[in-house]
Amino acid sequence: MNEEKKINMPIIHHLVIYLISFFGLSVFYAINYKLLNLIPSFRNLSEPTSMMIEYCLAYGLTAVALIIYLWNLCIKDLFAQFKVLKNIGMGVIFGIALIVVTDIWGVIANIICQKYGLVYQPNHNQLTLNQGMKEQPILALIMSVIFAPFTEEIGYRLGIFGGIKKYSRVAAYIVCALIFGLIHFDFTASGNDMLIELINLPAYISAGLLLCFYYDYTDSLATSITAHAFNNLFVFVVGLL
């Protein structure tokens, strides 16, 4: 990739980008929840459908907020990365590798569950998404394959990883992967549900590590976004089936 296409910025921008990604999702979700529940017809919708609408709006608005912030900072360089076919091709290959790694952990997790008399299943985060997918597949596709990869890769790879990497590459990998894993963790679970959350956690941490590597190796957010989107597309199709 050409040098001018690499994204480089002062540390403060990395911090702001992460804060927009993290708090943006929380704030927009809370606002959407309050406003949408003022509509009588919305309150009559099933929980998975209403949840998918709220998530899709939250991720979409956060993506818009990130684009606005990045507009004069590096948005042209980011879009230019998607014009390089090598970045997209490597993203697809890396996405397949991500699927393989998570599936291998799924096999290991199933063995662990059987040993302790548990029924293996996805964690609460994925189960909730699976329910929403079946009732609102179009919204689920937009949210999981477009909005989520964009906002999470910008927030975690460019924001956290890119910022910490300026001081320590090892710390960047560890911190970013742990935070990425924990945002998919249900801290309110208890009993066997908490065990399921803990058993699934390594898969998300591993995914975080791999996505950091993809971004670090190629210096291209287009590659990590494509890999993330390809993985989510696979999960989406499997979830529908």
Side-chain angles (χ1 to χ4, degrees):
M1 185 173 62
N2 295 330
E3 185 68 26
E4 65 270 18
K5 304 306 180 185
K6 295 181 181 179
I7 297 175
N8 191 23
M9 62 184 69
I11 186 67
I12 185 63
H13 291 301
H14 291 279
L15 176 61
V16 173
I17 288 167
Y18 169 66
L19 293 177
I20 292 175
S21 177
F22 181 78
F23 288 105
L25 287 174
S26 302
V27 172
F28 284 131
Y29 183 84
I31 293 174
N32 292 334
Y33 179 81
K34 293 291 185 180
L35 293 180
L36 290 173
N37 277 280
L38 294 176
I39 305 173
S41 58
F42 182 83
R43 294 198 296 268
N44 295 328
L45 297 175
S46 67
E47 183 178 355
T49 293
S50 60
M51 175 221 60
M52 188 55 64
I53 294 173
E54 291 160 359
Y55 271 146
C56 194
L57 284 173
Y59 270 101
L61 291 172
T62 302
V64 171
L66 286 169
I67 290 174
I68 291 173
Y69 185 78
L70 297 174
W71 192 260
N72 293 322
L73 192 62
C74 63
I75 199 68
K76 289 183 179 179
D77 291 338
L78 175 57
F79 287 158
Q81 291 180 352
F82 282 95
K83 296 179 181 179
V84 180
L85 292 179
K86 180 182 177 181
N87 292 338
I88 306 302
M90 291 186 71
V92 172
I93 293 172
F94 286 152
I96 294 172
L98 182 59
I99 293 168
V100 171
V101 169
T102 52
D103 281 352
I104 288 174
W105 179 253
V107 173
I108 296 173
N110 189 42
I111 294 173
I112 294 173
C113 286
Q114 289 179 353
K115 182 177 180 179
Y116 291 98
L118 300 173
V119 177
Y120 175 68
Q121 61 183 7
N123 70 346
H124 181 263
N125 174 78
Q126 191 58 51
L127 284 175
T128 303
L129 288 176
N130 288 346
Q131 293 172 355
M133 284 178 190
K134 294 177 180 178
E135 294 190 14
Q136 294 294 329
I138 302 301
L139 285 181
L141 181 66
I142 294 172
M143 191 274 290
S144 62
V145 180
I146 300 176
F147 290 156
F150 179 83
T151 57
E152 291 181 3
E153 290 308 301
I154 296 293
Y156 294 98
R157 249 53 66 182
L158 180 59
I160 297 179
F161 184 83
I164 299 178
K165 181 187 172 184
K166 293 179 182 291
Y167 302 96
S168 171
R169 177 180 266 104
V170 173
Y173 272 97
I174 294 173
V175 173
C176 191
L178 284 176
I179 293 179
F180 186 76
L182 291 175
I183 65 168
H184 296 93
F185 188 85
D186 182 12
F187 289 94
T188 65
S190 60
N192 288 343
D193 289 338
M194 175 55 75
L195 292 176
I196 293 296
E197 292 292 324
L198 291 171
I199 289 172
N200 279 291
L201 183 59
Y204 287 100
I205 293 176
S206 298
L209 285 172
L210 285 174
L211 288 167
C212 286
F213 170 74
Y214 300 160
Y215 174 54
D216 189 27
Y217 179 74
T218 63
D219 266 321
S220 169
L221 276 167
T223 300
S224 63
I225 291 173
T226 300
H228 196 153
F230 190 85
N231 175 79
N232 285 10
L233 177 61
F234 176 81
V235 174
F236 171 80
V237 172
V238 172
L240 287 183
L241 297 178

